[in-house]
Amino acid sequence: PPPRLWMGGGSALHAVHLAAERGLPVMPPSVLAPPAAFAPLVGRYRERWARAGDDPATLRIGACNHVHVGASSQAARAFWRPYYAQYLGFVDGIWKRREQMHARARIELDYDRLLGGVALCGSPAEVTDALLATREALGLDVQLLMFDLGGLPEGALRDTLERFGSEVLPALRSA
C-alpha cells in the first residue's frame, strides 16, 4: 500500500539483492558516481527480481542527479561552479564528521570530474542528452533532480527551473 518505499543505496550487491527479494524499487546512489557506473548492479537487481518471480511490470529503478541549465554550456558551468563548490564543501564537512561513513562510499568532490555524470550542467540540449543517456543506461522509471544547491540565488534558481521546464522537459517527453 502507499506510500511506496524505495531501497536507496544500490551500491552493493547485497542491497540490490535485498531490494529485489523484498519486491522494492531500487535507487542507486547516483549522486556518488555517474549513474551508468551502477548498470552492473541494476542488471543483477533485474535478474534477482525475475528469480523471485515478481511481476516484471512492477519493477522500478530510479536515479538522482544535480542539475543546472544555462543558455550555453560554458555560461552554465562558469556560473554554477562557485555554488556547486559550496555544496560540495557542505557534503565534505558532513563526511568528515561521520566517522561511520565507509571510505569506499566517498567520492572525489571535484567539480570537473562530477560534471562527467553526477552533476548535469550545461545547455538545455546537453542536459537533455545526459538525462536520456542515464535513462537508457539504467532503464529508469524515475529520475530525481536536485536544482537548489549551494545557495543558488532565487533568480538563478528560477531561471534554471524555467529553462528546464520550457526546453528540457518537452525534449524529454518527445524522446
Side-chain angles (χ1 to χ4, degrees):
R4 179 87 185 218
L5 298 177
W6 285 72
M7 172 72 87
S11 60
L13 201 52
H14 69 276
V16 295
H17 287 177
L18 180 64
E21 289 163 6
R22 300 285 188 250
L24 295 172
V26 70
M27 184 159 302
S30 51
V31 294
L32 298 179
F38 299 102
L41 286 171
V42 168
R44 293 294 297 268
Y45 171 73
R46 290 179 188 283
E47 290 170 13
R48 188 61 70 110
W49 186 277
R51 261 192 259 152
D54 289 323
D55 181 358
T58 62
L59 181 142
R60 297 286 180 263
I61 299 167
C64 183
N65 290 95
H66 304 147
V67 179
H68 183 74
V69 186
S72 72
S73 296
Q74 297 79 7
R77 288 187 176 130
F79 178 81
W80 200 40
R81 179 182 288 274
Y83 299 104
Y84 200 57
Q86 186 164 311
Y87 169 75
L88 295 175
F90 167 75
V91 171
D92 190 49
I94 290 172
W95 285 354
K96 286 178 180 169
R97 289 189 306 271
R98 292 189 58 184
E99 294 175 13
Q100 73 273 20
M101 177 131 191
H102 195 283
R104 243 186 29 207
R106 295 183 185 184
I107 61 167
E108 183 184 342
L109 297 176
D110 176 72
Y111 180 71
D112 294 316
R113 184 185 154 284
L114 294 175
L115 288 176
V118 176
L120 307 180
C121 179
S123 68
E126 186 176 11
V127 170
T128 299
D129 290 347
L131 288 168
L132 290 172
T134 300
R135 184 174 75 185
E136 178 69 25
L138 299 178
L140 296 181
D141 300 291
V142 172
Q143 282 183 288
L144 299 177
L145 306 176
M146 298 170 62
F147 292 88
D148 190 9
L149 301 164
L152 198 64
E154 183 181 342
L157 178 60
R158 188 178 309 114
D159 289 347
T160 194
L161 288 170
E162 287 177 1
R163 191 170 280 117
F164 185 86
S166 66
E167 298 181 51
V168 176
L169 274 181
L172 292 173
R173 287 186 180 124
S174 69

